[in-house]
Amino acid sequence: MLVEGRQNKVKTAKGTRLDTNLAIIEAGDLIASHDHLGNANKSYPQELQPRDRSRQSSQAQIHSIAKDLDPESLGRSSRADSGAPIIGPDRVVESGNGRSIAIQLAYKTGQADEYRAWLLENAEYLGLSTAQIESMKEPVLVRVRKTETDRSKFAVEANQDDKLSYSATERAKSDAKRLTAGLLELFNPDESGNLISASNSKFISGFLDSL
């Protein structure tokens, strides 16, 4: 069940702007990348998850958020990397997997009472009604993306300012997605394999422009 409320424009750290609608959805209906134990969700397109949510540091962050949910930080926001999670029309989380998993865990462990009360208190501001929220067992505030976009690219951009830093592996995977066919045609290191040689300057410039 998904009930939409007021409009909410968002922007990524890179400046990409999208239209979303605030909405509430049952926690169990959210399709997040992993569960609270770090197990990957087989129903989730993993190319949309630039982070390794099975990492110990990621799990610690999720449990910390769930233990002390801050409703204000999970509400309406113009930033893509903070606020309520952003989902696609198919209920797949595109930004805010950690937050989504933490909220699901908070409901599971009985630590979401304050969060649910906050939703009810701010229902009108969110463009919703208390009756709509009360009709749900485990309501979660999300932002439903309305603007068409490259989902994989958006997922990377939307996580660029996330408080949990990328690991070297996550950064490498994220950067690898920038290597388009056109960019690879410019790849031309010297005979010794030196990547920063003059012969490879066009590739380097092209790659830096993509960041």
Side-chain angles (χ1 to χ4, degrees):
M1 182 178 179
L2 178 72
V3 180
E4 297 189 17
R6 67 180 296 180
Q7 294 182 331
N8 184 75
K9 294 183 180 296
V10 301
K11 183 175 69 172
T12 68
K14 194 174 181 178
T16 300
R17 298 177 183 273
L18 299 96
D19 292 326
T20 72
N21 279 358
L22 294 173
I24 51 170
I25 186 174
E26 286 283 4
D29 291 339
L30 270 178
I31 303 177
S33 61
H34 294 72
D35 62 19
H36 68 281
L37 297 175
N39 300 311
N41 183 351
K42 294 181 180 179
S43 299
Y44 187 89
Q46 290 298 321
E47 65 271 15
L48 300 184
Q49 174 53 283
R51 297 189 180 282
D52 179 3
R53 285 296 174 187
S54 63
R55 286 171 55 198
Q56 185 175 356
S57 57
S58 181
Q59 286 302 297
Q61 181 200 40
I62 289 169
H63 282 261
S64 177
I65 295 173
K67 185 178 179 180
D68 188 21
L69 279 185
D70 178 13
E72 293 287 348
S73 68
L74 298 169
R76 184 169 180 257
S77 174
S78 62
R79 292 178 51 171
D81 69 316
S82 63
I86 298 176
I87 67 173
D90 53 2
R91 298 180 287 114
V92 168
V93 178
E94 298 176 346
S95 176
N97 268 291
R99 283 164 273 156
S100 299
I101 300 167
I103 296 171
Q104 291 174 328
L105 176 59
Y107 273 117
K108 186 179 182 67
T109 55
Q111 297 174 306
D113 290 347
E114 183 180 345
Y115 174 76
R116 196 176 196 281
W118 182 87
L119 292 179
L120 288 168
E121 291 173 5
N122 290 273
E124 183 177 355
Y125 172 73
L126 300 173
L128 302 163
S129 70
T130 55
Q132 290 171 325
I133 296 174
E134 288 174 338
S135 69
M136 293 191 178
K137 183 180 179 181
E138 298 177 342
V140 178
L141 181 68
V142 295
R143 291 171 287 177
V144 184
R145 176 179 54 77
K146 295 298 182 179
T147 304
E148 289 296 323
T149 188
D150 182 323
R151 297 181 84 179
S152 296
K153 181 180 178 181
F154 172 64
V156 172
E157 286 190 26
N159 282 278
Q160 283 181 346
D161 271 356
D162 201 291
K163 293 178 176 58
L164 179 65
S165 298
Y166 280 113
S167 68
T169 302
E170 291 171 342
R171 176 60 63 192
K173 288 182 177 179
S174 176
D175 288 346
K177 294 178 180 180
R178 304 177 189 278
L179 299 178
T180 63
L183 187 57
L184 287 174
E185 289 181 359
L186 301 176
F187 187 66
N188 185 33
D190 64 19
E191 294 181 357
S192 66
N194 182 9
L195 298 179
I196 58 173
S197 63
S199 62
N200 205 34
S201 60
K202 290 185 178 180
F203 170 80
I204 295 173
S205 295
F207 180 75
L208 291 176
D209 285 344
S210 73
L211 297 177

